[in-house]
Amino acid sequence: MDDGIILRADVYRPVKEGRYPVILTYGPYGKGLAFQEGYPRQWKVMTEAHPDVTEGSTNKYQNWETVDPEKWVPYEYVCVRVDSRGTGRSPGYINPFSKRETKDFYECIEWAGVQPWSNGKVGLLGISYYAMNQWQVAALQPPHLAAICPWEGASDFYRDATHHGGILSTFWSTWYEPQVLAVQHGVGERGSINKNTGELVAGPDTLSEEELAKNRTDLDHDIVTRPLINDEYYEERKVDWSKVTVPLLSAANWGGLGLHARGNFEGYKRAASKQKWLEVHGLEHWTHFYTQYGVELQRRFFDYFLKNEEGDWKEQPPVLLQVRTVDGQFIERKEKEWPLARTQWTKLYLDPESMSLSKDKIPSEGKVQYEAFGDGVTFLTPPFEQETEITGPMAAKLFVSSSTVDADLFLVARLFDPKGNEILFNGAMDPRTPLSQGWLRASHRKLDPVESTDYQPYHTHDEKQPLVPNEVYELDIEIWPTCIIIPPDYRLGLTIRGSDYKNCEKGTKFHGKDMTGSGAFWHDDERDRPREIFDNIISLHAGGGRDSYLLVPIIPKSI
């Protein structure tokens, strides 16, 4: 790197001498840690349900959230995996998504672009962390960067990742130690061994705990102490969309609530790239990256931009949706834009008296109260009379008062069958995921008038505006994009709560903590949510001119 530090990479390339396009990743999970060893539960779930993942490969080079070289090198690609600064085999100071990391990434791209085995065209392809940093480095416009494919990765570090609606997500403090610090450079002999090389995954040095602590940022402190976005910490992690001009394929997940969805929709919409595509699928966030469906899609994209092979990519629609159904199946459909131009934006008004969602405004004023740390309140539509598709972003307008100087609103879009049972979906992380979710801290209600639309309120998060207890405030709340074909006699529901949604007491665990419907994206840190403020009584006001509503994107059937 430009400061003299050495970052280490694994390079997989064809046996035949020549110049080939490069698929590159830069990240913190340890390039020598086998997927099967580091993430055995996820590997088991994926390969048992999708045997095509393991077909055609020995799988001994499988690595968490990066490509399998055996699925790419035979097709005349070079695969390069770089351990990011301070992780795996690369020494240095860990500071996720920092300006230093992004500069490193830039230099890795430029290094790969001029090697004797490179044709000068570098593509980026990876999941989550390996997708998030693609948005950042693309804005620096490395000369040898030819195309990117961010697969389920946040693009706004504050809104998508650390603070949902201004509410702190504790995912990052849960994630950091078991997934990054476990392979910090210097763990050495206390860590894993790369079975292909016999090298220490997080070596070769073995440092003391004190030395390790000096070589990393305190990520929990970094995030907890920065509740507003007007801070240089977020500024250096911000993407300048006007400079993201590289061809891109953005892949989102309907069930990626909390990290693996919003950023891909936003990246697709905001990037200045003239050549850009959006694909949206379901299931776990790692699954389709490795299935035949995902690999073929990725390869067709990179063949076109890294090899100049025309193939059939010119026929690829701008938007490819895997439309979700209640039985867990998907229907592939080609579209021209996002959100869909034919969307019928429909307001469903909250009726506190009947606890229903109505297409008609509610004439008389009413209210309903709930305890913030209880189950909240749920409003339901009448049973749908005919099959109805909802696809796109959602939003809500609520008139709210609080018994204290603030309130956290947790909104959950839900679907219920004719017997009243909730339909749950296999999400990006949690196998019991609702239709969608949205969040807002009432003191963060300030809107950006330029960025906001009716279907997507955009909050500035640059100042705190406390409430006067028991006064009514108008709040506009973003609900992340969703997709479902609703059968007749089913009901759509909106639950409004003051804490994280739960559909079970015990769920699949994420590093020892139960995922009970909201994935690994909890909002339960009392430093951010002191009980004397947020364990409050919240009143929802509706009717009589206070038109509280849920805005839903209804898609008419094609003629």
Side-chain angles (χ1 to χ4, degrees):
M1 300 294 104
D2 61 329
D3 62 353
I5 203 168
I6 301 294
L7 300 186
R8 290 185 164 81
D10 286 343
V11 180
Y12 302 84
R13 58 188 178 92
V15 173
K16 183 181 177 182
E17 293 295 324
R19 294 182 178 271
Y20 302 99
V22 178
I23 301 294
L24 186 145
T25 50
Y26 170 99
Y29 294 137
K31 62 184 177 59
L33 181 64
F35 192 136
Q36 302 90 318
E37 179 185 353
Y39 303 86
R41 181 187 67 81
Q42 292 89 334
W43 178 257
K44 184 174 185 292
V45 168
M46 177 173 66
T47 56
E48 287 183 353
H50 302 275
D52 57 316
V53 169
T54 60
E55 291 174 358
S57 174
T58 67
N59 298 293
K60 65 181 183 179
Y61 304 115
Q62 291 280 10
N63 185 242
W64 178 244
E65 298 187 338
T66 67
V67 301
D68 176 4
E70 293 186 70
K71 298 286 182 74
W72 287 85
V73 174
Y75 290 86
E76 298 190 327
Y77 283 90
V78 173
C79 296
V80 178
R81 291 178 184 158
V82 186
D83 277 340
S84 58
R85 184 177 293 241
T87 69
R89 304 285 295 182
S90 296
Y93 187 85
I94 302 175
N95 191 1
F97 305 110
S98 63
K99 185 181 293 185
R100 177 67 261 179
E101 271 205 353
T102 308
K103 182 64 162 59
D104 286 346
F105 200 178
Y106 177 105
E107 293 195 21
C108 291
I109 292 166
E110 290 307 290
W111 173 85
V114 298
Q115 295 308 301
W117 35 256
S118 171
N119 73 350
K121 294 187 176 183
V122 178
L124 307 179
L125 173 60
I127 311 174
S128 194
Y129 198 107
Y130 299 103
M132 293 167 69
N133 59 12
Q134 289 184 48
W135 300 116
Q136 291 177 287
V137 78
L140 298 185
Q141 299 184 339
H144 290 93
L145 182 60
I148 65 172
C149 180
W151 198 275
E152 300 186 36
S155 61
D156 183 323
F157 194 57
Y158 185 94
R159 294 176 181 84
D160 296 351
T162 66
H163 292 78
H164 298 130
I167 308 169
L168 177 73
S169 170
T170 56
F171 166 82
W172 298 95
S173 58
T174 310
W175 159 87
Y176 193 40
E177 183 174 346
Q179 289 193 237
V180 177
L181 303 191
V183 291
Q184 181 178 358
H185 182 82
V187 168
E189 293 177 354
R190 295 191 296 274
S192 298
I193 294 176
N194 183 333
K195 292 180 174 57
N196 295 314
T197 65
E199 294 180 328
L200 296 171
V201 169
D205 304 319
T206 301
L207 306 180
S208 68
E209 292 297 339
E210 292 76 15
E211 289 173 302
L212 289 173
K214 291 178 182 178
N215 287 339
R216 65 192 185 225
T217 191
D218 184 341
L219 187 63
D220 179 67
H221 178 268
D222 292 345
I223 295 172
V224 169
T225 57
R226 293 174 169 90
L228 296 175
I229 205 167
N230 52 346
D231 184 285
E232 63 180 14
Y233 182 81
Y234 294 107
E235 187 62 30
E236 74 172 81
R237 289 161 173 78
K238 184 179 178 181
V239 177
D240 183 344
W241 294 109
S242 69
K243 294 182 179 178
V244 180
T245 57
V246 67
L248 68 89
L249 168 60
S250 178
N253 189 317
W254 299 122
L257 308 176
L259 189 64
H260 298 107
R262 183 185 187 273
N264 287 94
F265 291 106
E266 290 299 288
Y268 173 73
K269 290 191 303 177
R270 293 178 180 274
S273 305
K274 294 181 179 179
Q275 296 173 295
K276 56 183 180 178
W277 291 264
L278 174 69
E279 185 272 348
V280 194
H281 53 267
L283 303 180
E284 305 87 358
H285 79 272
W286 57 83
T287 295
H288 273 312
F289 183 81
Y290 293 99
T291 62
Q292 184 176 346
Y293 163 80
V295 173
E296 288 184 354
L297 179 70
Q298 298 155 16
R299 198 182 292 139
R300 287 172 51 237
F301 172 70
F302 284 115
D303 281 352
Y304 186 76
F305 287 105
L306 271 60
K307 290 184 172 182
N308 297 323
E309 292 181 1
E310 187 167 312
D312 61 354
W313 190 257
K314 280 190 174 181
E315 282 70 57
Q316 183 72 15
V319 176
L320 181 66
L321 304 181
Q322 301 296 332
V323 178
R324 193 161 58 174
T325 66
V326 296
D327 60 359
Q329 302 301 307
F330 298 88
I331 301 169
E332 185 169 288
R333 194 172 69 216
K334 300 175 181 179
E335 297 288 352
K336 296 179 180 178
E337 71 287 304
W338 181 267
L340 306 186
R342 65 184 184 281
T343 302
Q344 297 175 349
W345 299 103
T346 303
K347 294 178 180 179
L348 301 177
Y349 296 93
L350 279 61
D351 186 343
E353 183 176 348
S354 63
M355 299 304 294
S356 64
L357 293 170
S358 170
K359 288 186 177 181
D360 300 318
K361 290 186 177 182
I362 310 304
S364 57
E365 184 177 351
K367 74 174 183 179
V368 60
Q369 292 184 322
Y370 61 90
E371 296 181 358
F373 283 19
D375 293 332
V377 291
T378 299
F379 297 83
L380 292 170
T381 65
F384 281 81
E385 296 179 358
Q386 59 187 17
E387 183 178 275
T388 303
E389 180 185 337
I390 292 176
T391 295
M394 305 174 75
K397 183 182 288 291
L398 300 179
F399 290 84
V400 172
S401 60
S402 168
S403 61
T404 64
V405 296
D406 214 337
D408 282 349
L409 283 295
F410 293 72
L411 274 59
V412 191
R414 306 168 71 185
L415 185 64
F416 297 89
D417 70 15
K419 293 182 179 180
N421 301 310
E422 185 175 6
I423 304 300
L424 300 171
F425 303 90
N426 197 348
M429 293 188 69
D430 196 322
R432 298 170 56 86
T433 301
L435 267 182
S436 191
Q437 296 191 66
W439 308 262
L440 183 65
R441 176 158 290 172
S443 61
H444 285 237
R445 63 190 177 277
K446 179 183 173 183
L447 291 171
D448 184 323
V450 175
E451 295 287 351
S452 292
T453 62
D454 289 342
Y455 58 79
Q456 189 177 20
Y458 194 89
H459 300 88
T460 60
H461 299 295
D462 60 359
E463 66 173 306
K464 186 177 179 181
Q465 299 178 334
L467 309 181
V468 174
N470 302 314
E471 283 200 12
V472 180
Y473 294 86
E474 181 178 345
L475 307 180
D476 293 280
I477 304 172
E478 176 184 5
I479 300 174
W480 286 20
T482 191
C483 174
I484 186 64
I485 296 176
I486 302 174
D489 297 325
Y490 281 59
R491 292 174 184 256
L492 181 66
L494 175 67
T495 294
I496 304 169
R497 304 165 51 96
S499 58
D500 285 316
Y501 161 80
K502 289 185 178 181
N503 54 44
C504 61
E505 289 302 317
K506 294 285 186 181
T508 301
K509 291 186 181 297
F510 179 78
H511 301 307
K513 195 171 180 180
D514 284 304
M515 296 191 292
T516 55
S518 295
F521 309 104
W522 306 279
H523 307 81
D524 55 2
D525 192 321
E526 291 196 15
R527 294 171 296 176
D528 180 67
R529 306 190 69 216
R531 282 187 169 266
E532 61 267 24
I533 295 176
F534 294 102
D535 188 3
N536 52 352
I537 302 297
I538 299 173
S539 300
L540 298 174
H541 303 260
R546 286 176 172 154
D547 297 326
S548 293
Y549 61 78
L550 171 68
L551 184 68
V552 297
I554 294 179
I555 308 302
K557 287 189 175 181
S558 300
I559 299 175

